[in-house]
Amino acid sequence: MELRFDDPQEQQRWYPVDDDVMGGVSQSAFSVSHGEGRFHGDISLENGGGFASVRRAPDAFEPSFALAKSVAITVRGDGRPYQLRLKSTALGDSSAYRVTFTPREDAWETFSFTWDAFEAVRRGTVLNDAPPLIPADIHQIGFLIADRTAGAFCLHVEKVVINFDEE
């Protein structure tokens, strides 16, 4: 299954969850233009903040992840590290499984991650006692930036591919 960004309606399926939930003032958005998605905004370290994220509405993935072997993203960045985050019914609402990647600024790159590459986290803290990620439990996908660096950011996303074959 491929998630592409040719449909402008895709923009409405993504929503920000930024550090304002804990008093911070960072801001982010997700926009769709010219066949790509853009997770962009501004990170502020004021008021103990320092992260921004976007999530895709949970109803949007068909078929389910249940038989999937891995996920791949094709992205172009700004030299900053980002996280691909997967929400799972195995974890509470404030937790997710994450993997970190740092895309180049000057070229599209494809990163492919098997499920064992993801670690469970809650508010940035690794959950060592969490169960391993089970694809059938995934109900949401998103991106997060939390590199403790103030300033503008932009992650360009060409596609997200759910792989059902072995890599």
Side-chain angles (χ1 to χ4, degrees):
M1 198 249 346
E2 278 191 12
L3 170 61
R4 293 194 163 264
F5 299 94
D6 334 22
D7 179 2
Q9 297 300 315
E10 180 64 26
Q11 178 171 315
Q12 285 143 18
R13 295 183 180 110
W14 294 80
Y15 61 94
V17 178
D18 299 332
D19 59 17
D20 60 346
V21 298
M22 49 166 274
V25 294
S26 298
Q27 297 180 356
S28 73
F30 193 88
S31 58
V32 172
S33 179
H34 304 293
E36 71 179 48
R38 290 189 189 113
F39 168 41
H40 54 94
D42 191 68
I43 296 294
S44 171
L45 303 179
E46 292 179 36
N47 298 341
F51 76 87
S53 71
V54 289
R55 298 176 185 172
R56 190 172 194 267
D59 64 324
F61 287 105
E62 293 300 329
S64 90
F65 283 82
L67 300 175
K69 305 294 184 198
S70 64
V71 60
I73 54 174
T74 301
V75 292
R76 185 168 44 95
D78 51 14
R80 295 174 74 167
Y82 290 86
Q83 295 176 21
L84 173 62
R85 295 174 69 92
L86 303 174
K87 298 290 268 179
S88 166
T89 56
L91 301 176
D93 189 50
S94 61
S95 303
Y97 290 92
R98 75 171 178 202
V99 66
T100 302
F101 61 97
T102 304
R104 294 171 37 171
E105 296 177 49
D106 57 349
W108 291 101
E109 286 183 277
T110 298
F111 294 88
S112 185
F113 305 106
T114 56
W115 307 127
D116 60 359
F118 288 84
E119 63 183 353
V121 293
R122 182 175 188 269
R123 298 184 179 144
T125 301
V126 175
L127 300 173
N128 293 316
D129 58 347
L133 176 60
I134 297 172
D137 294 341
I138 298 169
H139 64 88
Q140 193 173 69
I141 190 167
F143 295 101
L144 180 137
I145 183 168
D147 62 356
R148 296 181 172 80
T149 303
F153 67 89
C154 186
L155 176 68
H156 302 260
V157 185
E158 181 182 83
K159 63 184 173 181
V160 177
V161 179
I162 310 306
N163 295 306
F164 292 93
D165 299 319
E166 297 289 335
E167 292 282 312

